[in-house]
Amino acid sequence: MTSDADIARSAIFEVIDNQLKAGNPPEVKETLKRLLASGHSEKEARRLLGCVVTVEIFAVLNEGREYDQARYVAALRALPKLPF
């Protein structure tokens, strides 16, 4: 049986994959390349990107805030420092 956490994790990585494919926002791909160049494994880099996606989704769903691309991009640029 698939857990809710597994479903959520899969959805978050799907968001990242879609953003990378679309190149939108471009900072996702830039951040992935930067993290890989600084020695992070691809798995760890994607996990860090996932943290940023999760924080933004939480802000929208639980805090009632609108998606803010500037906030999202700032959090990506701050990685590997986590946005929480």
Side-chain angles (χ1 to χ4, degrees):
M1 177 178 235
T2 305
S3 72
D4 290 344
D6 290 335
I7 293 168
R9 186 177 306 106
S10 178
I12 289 164
F13 288 121
E14 185 175 342
V15 168
I16 294 166
D17 290 340
N18 290 339
Q19 290 178 337
L20 288 167
K21 283 180 200 172
N24 186 20
E27 291 84 3
V28 174
K29 189 171 194 172
E30 292 167 10
T31 302
L32 178 60
K33 286 181 178 181
R34 177 176 55 80
L35 291 169
L36 293 172
S38 68
H40 293 274
S41 69
E42 184 162 351
K43 182 178 179 179
E44 177 64 9
R46 290 174 54 81
R47 186 192 70 77
L48 290 167
L49 292 171
C51 289
V52 173
V53 170
T54 302
V55 167
E56 188 60 29
I57 290 172
F58 185 87
V60 170
L61 295 178
N62 292 325
E63 297 172 5
R65 299 188 325 194
E66 296 211 13
Y67 169 71
D68 183 337
Q69 187 160 334
R71 178 180 61 222
Y72 182 64
V73 167
L76 289 170
R77 289 184 174 149
L79 286 175
K81 181 178 182 278
L82 296 174
F84 45 83

